[in-house]
Amino acid sequence: MIIAGNWKMFRGPEPSALAGLDAIVCPPYTRLRECVEAGLMTYAQNVHWESEGAYTGEISAPMLLELGVAGSLVGHSERRQYFGETDETVAKRTRAALTAGLKVIACVGELRAERESGETENVLRRQLSVLEPHPNLVLAYEPVWAIGTGLTATPEMAQEAHAFIKSLLDAPVLYGGSVKADNAAGLLAQPDVDGALVGGASLDVESFKAICQAAERTRS
Ligand code: PGA
């Protein structure tokens, strides 16, 4: 069971408040070092496919590794929506990061209109077609309509999507999209839900700890 907190472009909690928690944190770049030094399992929110070069605003896998960062998110829907991330760039980032020795959480998920028009499986098939299984690759199923909206997929919807994803690519699959302390247990209880990628609720230490505890109870 893997719980990861995506702080997005928020400062986030004090790393010391999370010490000892069995969870991944994905802080903004400016706090990576602090999180690493506090002993947290620390991931970046993005990673470029070249190791260096004229790519203003990007960061490379060797640079992250030098800081002690263990992995990176790739292909978050906000990258896809606002920053021109495509299936092809997701594939390049993922491949380069894994080759360099980072762990990767690659995100997939359908838009509301795609779900409503029955396109969910086609979208997931397309997004996953560029990825290959790797021991350090974890997927996150994040229906875009559930991110930051307070709308959560029901545990049954999550289970159905996760089982479909696993039929295409053999990897652990985290659920993301408005995971909160009060809905985490139901989602994590599903057989193919291997953890959660938590946005908003990871900014609040108490909620994030409660989600980690729900995961702990599901494990046992
Ligand atoms: P949310 O974000 O939990 O705030 O919906 C999840 C994510 O974007 O990873």
Side-chain angles (χ1 to χ4, degrees), residues 158-179:
Q159 169 55 30
E160 194 184 340
H162 284 221
F164 178 71
I165 289 168
K166 288 186 185 188
S167 75
L168 299 175
L169 203 156
D170 183 20
V173 185
L174 315 183
Y175 171 79
S178 298
V179 175

Side-chain angles (χ1 to χ4, degrees), residues 6 8 76 142 146-148 177-179 197-200:
N6 173 13
K8 309 194 178 187
H76 189 279
E142 299 205 300
I147 297 178
S178 298
V179 175
L197 180 53
V198 184

